Amino acid sequence: MTPTTATAPEVAPFRFFEMTVLRTRRLGPSILRITLGGPGAEGFSGGGRDQSLSVLLPRPGQSEAVVPAGGIGARRERGRALPEDERAVTRSYAVRAQRLRADGSTEVDVDVVLHAVGGPGCRWALTASPGDRLTVLGPAAADNAAVRFRPPADTDWVLIRADETALPAAAAALAWLPAGLPARVWLEVPCTEDRQALNTAAKARISWLVRNEGAACGVETVRAAALPGGTPYAWIAGEASGVRALRHHLVHERGFDRARVTSSAYWRRGLPEEQLRRAEAEAAAGAGSGGPEEPTGKKS
Ligand SMILES: Cc1cc2nc3c(=O)[nH]c(=O)nc-3n(C[C@H](O)[C@H](O)[C@H](O)COP(=O)(O)OP(=O)(O)OC[C@H]3O[C@@H](n4cnc5c(N)ncnc54)[C@H](O)[C@@H]3O)c2cc1C
């Protein structure tokens, strides 16, 4: 196993980027790829794995997102001082890929789920067109607190479980894994055509759980599986209740070391993202813990 940084650096090196939508492409019925770039993308540093960014979106009636001038510190301090109904809406997406082009410019792909309930993120994606300007809070250094996929150096095999919102992060993590490392992977998508060809050098056994084919998507699928021997590392992300149930299964029924299970609630049924983050912050404050603030991707 290639040695990796066991813990995130203390300071999360994020900043605002004024990016441009270069193009969009439908990957399947439920997923739209939006490629961002332009001169404002210079210095963006994705670095792979489950790196994420936040898009900052205008509220209804605003022509552009209201963002405090200055860096991330300014956003934390003055962003909260802005009235909530003026402050930009933020939505989290994984950095699916970053490419450096021959002319030195950078392109960044985000894959957005077009879910039926809808929300500002979903609406932005549906109307995004080439030339649109977009403010992004993103990584200015590749290794930072938003990267949570961190298999320890003594990992013998990796378990990955992701729904469609976490498929981009899972795909980037698979692309990053070292050659030959065994990986047992379950990827859940709404429709057959949402499945994707994935690039990995790992010895990955990938099972697609397709909901419109009637796949069982609860914890029972992993519970029924024979898992490899040796020391595991697990990464689970997606809808909050499923993430919590699987984490519980791995730690309490399978005996995984809880420190070797990374779990992230990417969304929660019935809650828009800001309410999910508020609920998480309140839970963390209640438990007396702190943690990185931006972008999101908190432990479930
Ligand atoms: C670190 C991180 C990385 C993420 N990466 C991605 C990514 O790469 N691609 C991606 O598409 N999403 C990703 N997500 C999840 C995404 O941020 C949420 O799904 C977000 O709620 C979508 O915003 P919205 O404005 O569309 O809906 P919101 O306004 O947040 O929510 C409106 C309603 O829609 C529901 N809802 C939200 N998402 C879904 C869904 N997928 N299916 C069904 N109902 C839903 C909510 O429960 C709520 O009831 C990520 C989240 C995190 C924290």
Side-chain angles (χ1 to χ4, degrees), residues 32-149:
L32 181 79
R33 173 159 297 167
I34 301 181
T35 300
L36 303 169
E42 198 179 320
F44 189 95
S45 195
R49 295 183 270 174
D50 55 347
Q51 179 73 266
S52 59
L53 53 76
S54 296
V55 300
L56 280 77
L57 304 171
R59 292 182 179 272
Q62 294 175 338
S63 57
E64 55 187 38
V66 176
V67 180
I72 177 127
R75 179 169 188 267
R76 282 206 188 112
E77 287 148 31
R78 294 204 292 277
R80 291 208 182 101
L82 289 168
E84 196 161 339
D85 58 351
E86 280 181 30
R87 204 185 306 162
V89 174
T90 64
R91 289 293 181 262
S92 306
Y93 296 102
V95 178
R96 173 64 182 85
Q98 178 175 4
R99 289 172 300 280
L100 201 57
R101 292 166 51 94
D103 64 1
S105 65
T106 279
E107 289 189 357
V108 175
D109 291 334
V110 292
D111 292 354
V112 178
V113 173
L114 307 172
H115 59 90
V117 186
C122 205
R123 284 194 292 275
W124 160 69
L126 281 167
T127 57
S129 5
D132 288 357
R133 307 301 296 273
L134 178 74
T135 305
V136 164
L137 179 62
D143 195 7
N144 57 54
V147 177
R148 301 200 60 235
F149 187 95

Side-chain angles (χ1 to χ4, degrees), residues 50-288:
D50 55 347
Q51 179 73 266
S52 59
L53 53 76
S54 296
V55 300
L56 280 77
L57 304 171
R59 292 182 179 272
Q62 294 175 338
S63 57
E64 55 187 38
V66 176
V67 180
I72 177 127
R75 179 169 188 267
R76 282 206 188 112
E77 287 148 31
R78 294 204 292 277
R80 291 208 182 101
L82 289 168
E84 196 161 339
D85 58 351
E86 280 181 30
R87 204 185 306 162
V89 174
T90 64
R91 289 293 181 262
S92 306
Y93 296 102
V95 178
R96 173 64 182 85
Q98 178 175 4
R99 289 172 300 280
L100 201 57
R101 292 166 51 94
D103 64 1
S105 65
T106 279
E107 289 189 357
V108 175
D109 291 334
V110 292
D111 292 354
V112 178
V113 173
L114 307 172
H115 59 90
V117 186
C122 205
R123 284 194 292 275
W124 160 69
L126 281 167
T127 57
S129 5
D132 288 357
R133 307 301 296 273
L134 178 74
T135 305
V136 164
L137 179 62
D143 195 7
N144 57 54
V147 177
R148 301 200 60 235
F149 187 95
R150 292 178 185 273
D154 62 347
T155 298
D156 291 322
W157 68 279
V158 168
L159 183 152
I160 293 175
R161 172 71 171 92
D163 73 5
E164 63 270 35
T165 65
L167 171 59
L174 277 166
W176 174 89
L177 279 178
L181 186 78
R184 190 67 185 93
V185 184
W186 285 270
L187 301 173
E188 174 185 344
V189 287
C191 307
T192 313
E193 300 78 15
D194 290 321
R195 291 177 307 174
Q196 304 172 5
L198 298 174
N199 172 34
T200 183
K203 213 169 113 198
R205 185 172 157 210
I206 299 175
S207 302
W208 289 95
L209 307 174
V210 181
R211 290 200 298 274
N212 79 347
E213 293 174 0
C217 295
V219 75
E220 64 273 17
T221 307
V222 178
R223 186 180 279 130
L227 300 180
T231 305
Y233 169 75
W235 182 90
I236 317 163
E239 201 283 324
S241 60
V243 168
R244 199 178 325 110
L246 184 53
R247 181 182 175 89
H248 185 275
H249 165 67
L250 294 178
V251 172
H252 296 283
E253 297 173 23
R254 292 275 194 175
F256 280 40
D257 176 349
R258 66 178 66 241
R260 304 184 74 101
V261 180
T262 301
S263 55
S264 302
Y266 274 16
W267 63 286
R268 187 186 294 174
R269 204 169 301 286
L271 283 192
E273 187 173 338
E274 49 278 339
Q275 286 183 29
L276 170 58
R277 300 303 151 217
R278 209 172 297 139
E280 285 177 334
E282 282 165 13

